[in-house]
Each structure stands twice: as C-alpha cells, then as structure tokens.
Amino acid sequence: MCATPIGNLQDITLRALETLKNVNLIAAEDTRHTHKLLNHFAIKTPLTSYHQHNEKSKAAELIAYLKADNDVALVSDAGMPGISDPGEVLVREAILAGIEVDVIPGPSAFTSGLVLSGLPCTPFYFAGFMPTSEKARKDALNKLKDVVATQIFYEAPHRLQKFLQDVLATRGDIELVIARELTKLHQEIIRGRVSAVLQRLAEVPARGELVVFLSAPVTEVPSVPSSWGEEITGLLQAGLEQKAAFKVLAEKYQVPKREIYNAFIKEKDKKTTGC
Ligand code: SAM
C-alpha cells in the first residue's frame, strides 16, 4: 500500500520512490494518471489497472501473481490507497492468502486538512463521501449527530452547497472548516459558520478538491436566548425554510417549536407596533 502525493509531487517519500522502482508491478487506480507520476521520477515499472469496477476480480489475479513470488505496489490517484479509494479488498484478500502486506506511509487529504483546521484532532470521525441523494445524505448526517468528534467528509465542489444546506438543516449553524486544494498552488482554508460559508459560496463557488470538517456536535443544551430574531434571520438568509429553521432551533435549545414560533411572532409584533 503505497501513498502518493495529493497535489505537490515533492511530497513523494524516498521509500515510495524506492518501492515503486523495485516492485515487479504497480497496480494503479488510473494507469494514465500514475504514468505521469512515474515519468516525472523516471520510473519504468510496468503498470496494471486496479479500480473500483474491477476491484474484486482483479484482486484474485493480483493475489495469484503475488503468490508466484512477485511484489506489487498498490497506488491510487492521490494520497493513501484504501482511504475512499480502492485498496481494502486487496489487503483483506492478501491477508487471507497469507501474503505479507506492508505500507509506505505518506499524504492523505483528510489528515493534512485536519491538522490545519484548528478543530480538535482527537477524537475525529472520518465519514468519507456522503450519499448523493438528499434524503440519504440527511439520514447519514442525522445518524452522526451523536458522534462527539470532529467529523470529516470528502465532497465534490459541485455538491458542496447542497451538502452544507443539509448540514444547516440537520445540525444548525455550526462551525466548520473547508480545506481546499491542499499542497497545491491555490490551497485555501475556509473557516466559519455554515450560514456565513454558504453566503460566501453563493458569491464565489468553491473549485478543486476539498475536505469538509464539521465541529463536534455539542452535547450540552445552551441556555435559551432572550431574543430569537437574530438566529432565525441567519438561518433563513442561509437558505433554510422557516419550518426547518424552527426545527433546528427547537433541537438546539430543547424547546418546543411552537414556543419558539410564538416568541418570535411576539418579538416581530413588538418591533412593528413598538410596544
Ligand atoms: N486516497 C485519498 C486520500 O488519501 O486522501 C482520497 C481519495 S478520494 C477519491 C478524493 C477526495 O479526496 C477528493 O474528492 C477530496 O475530497 C479529497 N482530496 C484529494 N486531494 C485533495 C487535496 N489536494 N485537497 C483537498 N482535498 C483533497
């Protein structure tokens, strides 16, 4: 299991170079992609493809090859194979077949982003990619409500806004960090509350590769605010419907929705009538 850079080619390790040079075969997620990496370092080892669509059948082939006293390095397009990338099937099969498995450690997008995030690194929960359907994504986010840890998600830039809207609807306006284009020219770390980040993304959509870090769910119930206006307005401005905004606050403060609604209407009336 051989890690490769997540952007900056200088992040390849000496052991990775030595391993990629000396093995009999490199199994790669995308052989064209890895070919570029090998060319850069003048490595001529043969490549074979190993991706999510041939993971099971190819694992059997690679195991037979390994049993014939060959060494194989598995790489993915970026970072650590097996982390939201093909790898774990081959490792399991190799262990079952009594073949020695080793790792050449190196970069991974989520560990690199986590240490830059400023959020607690311990404990953390790595969720990887979320489902693409809204219902399944919201269900998954709801299930993680009790996981008191910094929560880490891989997300595609074109799905980021939808993902954050679901975070807002299920978790409220929590603190989050986005680590974008790590180790690359346009590396950027975005920090803030969900509503503020959503507003910013509406003006400048995020591009490139990114990791999202959500602050840990808070277990203590905060004291009820003296006025609801500011929080409700913030949630509405971030794109939540009124009903969803009351639901988020009801859960956060453990107060019935109706109570918040009545207090909010009273506040509004007071503003308009002045008494
Ligand atoms: N195996 C990789 C690892 O160890 O991080 C992850 C592979 S996964 C298919 C690709 C996802 O990782 C991207 O969609 C993005 O969420 C994240 N990612 C990869 N490179 C990144 C980078 N340079 N900056 C930020 N996120 C990155």
Side-chain angles (χ1 to χ4, degrees):
M1 301 291 281
C2 182
T4 57
I6 55 168
N8 189 329
L9 292 187
Q10 301 296 323
D11 292 336
I12 191 102
T13 66
L14 296 175
R15 276 186 78 207
L17 288 177
E18 191 183 289
T19 303
L20 293 174
K21 252 182 219 156
N22 292 336
V23 287
N24 304 95
L25 184 68
I26 299 170
E29 191 186 4
D30 180 343
T31 51
R32 285 163 310 176
H33 188 94
T34 302
H35 198 71
K36 285 185 202 151
L37 178 81
L38 297 187
N39 270 348
H40 185 85
F41 293 106
I43 296 172
K44 305 238 177 306
T45 310
L47 281 164
T48 189
S49 74
Y50 183 77
H51 47 71
Q52 58 171 348
H53 304 295
N54 71 359
E55 208 175 349
K56 287 221 167 89
S57 58
K58 195 66 185 250
E61 221 178 273
L62 289 173
I63 295 294
Y65 186 72
L66 285 158
K67 276 189 162 169
D69 213 18
N70 292 300
D71 283 329
V72 176
L74 177 69
V75 299
S76 64
D77 285 355
M80 187 57 87
I83 301 297
S84 293
D85 265 338
E88 60 188 47
V89 172
L90 186 60
V91 171
R92 252 195 318 271
E93 294 291 321
I95 293 167
L96 284 175
I99 292 163
E100 192 190 333
V101 187
D102 203 354
V103 66
I104 310 296
S108 195
F110 83 87
T111 49
S112 308
L114 178 61
V115 295
L116 282 186
S117 70
L119 295 172
C121 295
T122 316
F124 71 79
Y125 180 93
F126 175 65
F129 288 102
M130 282 278 101
T132 50
S133 98
E134 184 183 329
K135 159 114 188 38
R137 198 168 47 232
K138 277 190 174 158
D139 285 351
L141 281 166
N142 274 325
K143 276 196 193 135
L144 293 179
K145 264 184 185 168
D146 296 329
V147 179
V148 183
T150 300
Q151 298 182 1
I152 309 174
F153 304 84
Y154 282 167
E155 193 49 278
H158 64 276
R159 275 200 295 265
L160 181 62
Q161 270 155 292
K162 285 201 168 123
F163 172 70
L164 294 185
Q165 273 153 8
D166 291 345
V167 171
L168 191 66
T170 50
R171 301 286 178 79
D173 206 6
I174 59 171
E175 291 284 346
L176 72 99
V177 178
I178 296 173
R180 201 176 74 77
E181 294 287 86
L182 287 162
T183 77
K184 302 186 199 174
L185 188 62
H186 298 293
Q187 172 171 310
E188 183 186 26
I189 308 293
I190 303 168
R191 300 184 174 86
R193 290 201 177 265
V194 188
S195 60
V197 174
L198 271 169
Q199 270 170 29
R200 184 193 152 144
L201 291 173
E203 288 155 26
V204 190
R207 289 213 223 122
E209 297 193 282
L210 52 94
V211 191
V212 181
F213 301 86
L214 300 185
S215 54
V218 179
T219 44
E220 270 169 41
V221 181
S223 48
V224 173
S226 53
S227 141
W228 293 99
E230 196 180 322
E231 261 189 276
I232 290 177
T233 313
L235 291 172
L236 297 181
Q237 274 172 357
L240 273 199
E241 299 203 344
Q242 193 159 304
K243 213 168 137 192
F246 286 123
K247 186 165 176 261
V248 163
L249 294 180
E251 276 179 21
K252 178 175 172 184
Y253 293 102
Q254 301 286 298
V255 172
K257 262 190 302 198
R258 167 96 1 224
E259 212 172 281
I260 301 176
Y261 177 78
N262 289 341
F264 178 60
I265 295 297
K266 232 184 191 168
E267 263 174 46
K268 263 171 79 176
D269 287 349
K270 214 170 164 185
K271 256 195 186 154
T272 38
T273 59
C275 54

